[in-house]
Amino acid sequence: MKILVIGATGNIGKVVASTLDERGHDVIRASRNAEFAVDITEPASIKALFEKVGEVDAVVVASGSVPFKPLMSLERDDYVKGFMSKTLGQIEVVRQGLLHMSDGGSITLTTGVLAREPIATGAAAAMANGALESFIVTAGAEAPRGIRINAVSPNVLANSPSFHPLFPGQRPVTDEEIGTAYVLSVEGLVNGRTIRV
């Protein structure tokens, strides 16, 4: 399959791209500073990426940022920035990506454990992740031409130890576990699901 991985230089994206590459897929790696450059907060940038890449069989989005601040320090602009980057950015990839997908293709978004487990400073991330997980339920059901839409929701990453203190009591997930979850979404039959890791 021809698979576009957006955010391929990040901690999740690198794992996903390598895993899919090892499984024999034609992986196109996109990020802000790559040959296939994209900024998912800019619809024109997403459009230019799809025009350059052409039709694909699958898209994986492992991109988007949210602020981590105590609840009482979060301002409206913090929520807006998180929503625009992680939530609306990924939704825009879906909106435009549906026009460039082969029949029966798949789109996989990335959320995170904060949609279901609280941590201090995680309110904005919880908002962004929860919105995406709700979106894919209906988007997956409505997608045309047999295209599937899922999300992968990983716990804190074992490959990111600097974040471990923020997630007390949570089990860090390995690169292998991350890769397997995205393989399920891309190669499997699931649709409209959040795959928890």
Side-chain angles (χ1 to χ4, degrees):
M1 282 190 280
K2 181 179 177 183
I3 303 173
L4 173 62
V5 177
I6 297 174
T9 57
N11 290 336
I12 293 175
K14 282 189 288 191
V15 171
V16 174
S18 295
T19 300
L20 295 172
D21 192 49
E22 289 167 6
R23 294 180 63 81
H25 297 294
D26 175 15
V27 178
I28 299 165
R29 291 165 167 84
S31 64
R32 285 181 183 264
N33 299 307
E35 175 188 353
F36 292 95
V38 66
D39 177 352
I40 67 168
T41 66
E42 296 292 338
S45 179
I46 296 169
K47 181 179 181 183
L49 174 65
F50 279 115
E51 288 174 350
K52 185 174 183 179
V53 169
E55 185 176 278
V56 292
D57 300 304
V59 175
V60 173
V61 187
S63 184
S65 62
V66 290
F68 284 83
K69 294 182 179 180
L71 180 66
M72 297 305 292
S73 298
L74 284 164
E75 298 189 5
R76 184 179 188 278
D77 198 45
D78 293 315
Y79 289 108
V80 170
K81 286 178 182 175
F83 186 78
M84 294 297 291
S85 177
K86 185 155 191 181
T87 309
L88 209 52
Q90 292 193 71
I91 290 172
E92 184 64 19
V93 172
V94 172
R95 195 183 72 78
Q96 294 195 40
L98 288 170
L99 305 175
H100 299 273
M101 300 289 304
S102 61
D103 291 354
S106 73
I107 301 174
T108 305
L109 307 182
T110 300
T111 65
V113 68
L114 299 185
R116 60 189 183 274
E117 295 289 344
I119 66 163
T121 73
M127 171 209 63
N129 291 336
L132 282 169
E133 292 186 9
S134 295
F135 167 77
I136 60 105
V137 173
T138 299
E142 283 194 58
R145 299 181 289 110
I147 297 169
R148 297 175 299 103
I149 303 173
N150 296 296
V152 172
S153 178
N155 207 318
V156 65
L157 308 177
N159 70 20
S160 304
S162 63
F163 288 100
H164 294 179
L166 291 174
F167 293 82
Q170 296 294 331
R171 183 184 67 83
V173 294
T174 66
D175 289 356
E176 182 179 1
E177 290 173 300
I178 294 291
T180 299
Y182 284 90
V183 168
L184 172 61
S185 182
V186 171
E187 296 181 17
L189 298 177
V190 297
N191 184 37
R193 283 223 350 236
T194 296
I195 301 164
R196 297 179 176 184
V197 188

